Amino acid sequence: MAQKSLSEILKGASLDLAPYEDLYRYFHAHPELSQQEESTSRKVAAHLSQLKAYEIHTNIGGYGLAGVLRNGVGNTILLRADMDALPVKELTGLPYASSVTMHDADGIEKPVMHACGHDMHMTCLLAAAEALANIQHAWSGTLIVLFQPDEERGGGAQAMVDDGLYSKVPVPDYIFGQHVMRMRAGSVGSRPGTIMAAADSLKVTVYGRGGHGSLPHQTVDPALLAAHIVVRLQGIVSREVDPSDLAVVTVGSLQAGQTENIIADRAEIGLDFRTVKLDTRQKIISAIQRIVEAECMASGSPKPPLFTPTRRFPPTLNDKHVASQLAASFENHFEDFDGDTPRTNVSEDFSTLGTCKDVPCCFWFIGGIDAELWDKVHKEGNQAEEIPGNHSALFAPVIQPTMKVGVDALCIAALTFLRK
């Protein structure tokens, strides 16, 4: 008898997604900021417990958790989702829109929204956990479902590893993850090699000499100093990085002073930069430091600048052999799969879960934009910018078929390496 296809095996799970659509709406309406995902973590753990199939480990690296399903001899597969939300005021107008506010790490009250799709990631993984538990007869091995905190700040994966993740769950043979993106709902995209860039963020504090706005000659104006720095930084990518390489430098914030007629004594610049190659990353770091220090000297700054790193994300690298195997499975299952999806400058800390143990990883994207809207915008030749994307206050993935595709992708990936 011919071996069943992965799609045929998955049909046997007989999974009803209606309860998961309700669960998604709950997660969307109850977001929590990075490192504060306590209620979200409890909700996930409670759902996993109801499946009565997983050994559950909680409070790993903060509010991270993992479920382990041991089902005989075979590969160990880890499927990962992230849980945290963003300090964004939701403007979608959805009936399940978030009205939540929370205090951030600095004690400032902020609106909170799942503006990056982590609510969809959690829901898809919980549904996949049930589906794979329902068809244990068709596969053999160990399945780990991992729910990670603090992805947005880039620290969650490392925190889980540092807190002994792999002393609590088996070291996997393969690690998989996904992200909902501004793509047509129903589509899936991946690629071998680098799929997401590395990202670094830092705050640069430069110092002046404060005084009365009417007496600038008695001061060193940090606002003017910071402005010169911002302009000079724009030349790093255009004049110092090989045009064939990928690099982005962005000044995301600039703060100097509190009122109009007082020259402040310091200014703070918030920087973010993206790279793929480690040597390019180092070149940009050196250029930022050189420019800032030179402008401080030119302005007569009374003390050296302060550089404070705030985030670091590694590049997300898909193992070429694993990506090839997954591409074959995805092509057979999905009508709309792109095995050479464009690399993105968006960043993730997902790969830390694998690089810490030299485990091959693969990551893919699923589309979340309503197909009719997507087709209309592209048919009329409008720019894709008219469609809200990740981190937008208007980002609202259409629930279906986004969820079904996300669940299927996780299950197909696991079954590719677990099927009997």
Side-chain angles (χ1 to χ4, degrees), residues 10-16 130 134-135:
L10 189 53
K11 283 181 182 178
S14 301
L15 186 65
D16 179 11
E130 179 178 352
N134 289 348
I135 53 172

Side-chain angles (χ1 to χ4, degrees), residues 14-35:
S14 301
L15 186 65
D16 179 11
L17 287 179
Y20 286 98
E21 293 177 11
D22 290 337
L23 183 61
Y24 167 77
R25 295 183 185 98
Y26 172 87
F27 283 138
H28 189 86
H30 298 85
E32 293 179 297
L33 292 174
S34 304
Q35 301 182 359

